[in-house]
Amino acid sequence: MHVTLLRHAKAVDREDWTNDDRDRPLTKAGREDFLRVAKSLHKLICAVEIVTSPWLRARQTAELAAECWDLPLREVSWLASDGLTARERVAQLTRDLDVVLVGHEPDLGELVGFLCGSRPLQLKKGGLVMLEGEPAEAGMELRLLLTPKAILRLADR
């Protein structure tokens, strides 16, 4: 099984946002940069669907990815920062279904750590991790870890 974890793209700064954090949108630059990232990753993505947090910035990132990668999109509450453990999140995955998970930190980094049997990673906004193996504690191997800057540098070559 392949699991790709994608942190949402750059959003409006929390300090500049006065409404509910769940409704904080992507910035214009965040959208533009992520479109470049998504287009450059198209051939690397091994998934049958994108599963996203319902929070606006994740949903907007997932919508851009779904369009670029021609994948269906499904929204789930368990990818929102709601206090679930990594073990509880993994229990929500459909076995043998290659997916892209779009969400937030620190949840995604904790999920990577749990799946790889390591300490949590910290994903940058727009960062991507690809894992392969059995979706269980220490059952997956890290195949690729890219920051958005690295992806954009590769895309510009």
Side-chain angles (χ1 to χ4, degrees), residues 89-113:
R89 291 180 203 282
V90 168
Q92 302 296 320
L93 291 174
T94 303
R95 300 282 189 227
D96 302 321
L97 185 66
D98 297 336
V99 295
V100 175
L101 304 177
V102 182
H104 314 271
E105 277 296 302
D107 304 330
L108 292 178
E110 291 170 358
L111 189 55
V112 171

Side-chain angles (χ1 to χ4, degrees), residues 16 32 57 116 124 149:
D16 297 333
E32 291 170 355
R57 58 194 176 274
C116 292
K124 299 285 186 186
K149 285 183 183 179

Side-chain angles (χ1 to χ4, degrees), residues 12-70:
V12 172
D13 287 332
R14 188 174 288 135
E15 297 79 28
D16 297 333
W17 187 252
T18 57
N19 297 322
D20 190 322
D21 190 49
R22 293 175 289 195
D23 298 327
R24 195 158 43 97
L26 297 181
T27 63
K28 182 179 182 208
R31 292 178 68 84
E32 291 170 355
D33 286 348
F34 183 72
L35 269 174
R36 289 179 53 215
V37 165
K39 288 176 183 176
S40 68
L41 291 172
H42 183 267
K43 292 182 180 179
L44 294 177
I45 299 301
C46 179
V48 296
E49 74 173 335
I50 297 174
V51 181
T52 186
S53 157
W55 292 18
L56 184 60
R57 58 194 176 274
R59 176 71 189 210
Q60 288 176 327
T61 302
E63 288 170 348
L64 293 170
E67 185 175 323
C68 285
W69 302 336
D70 194 28

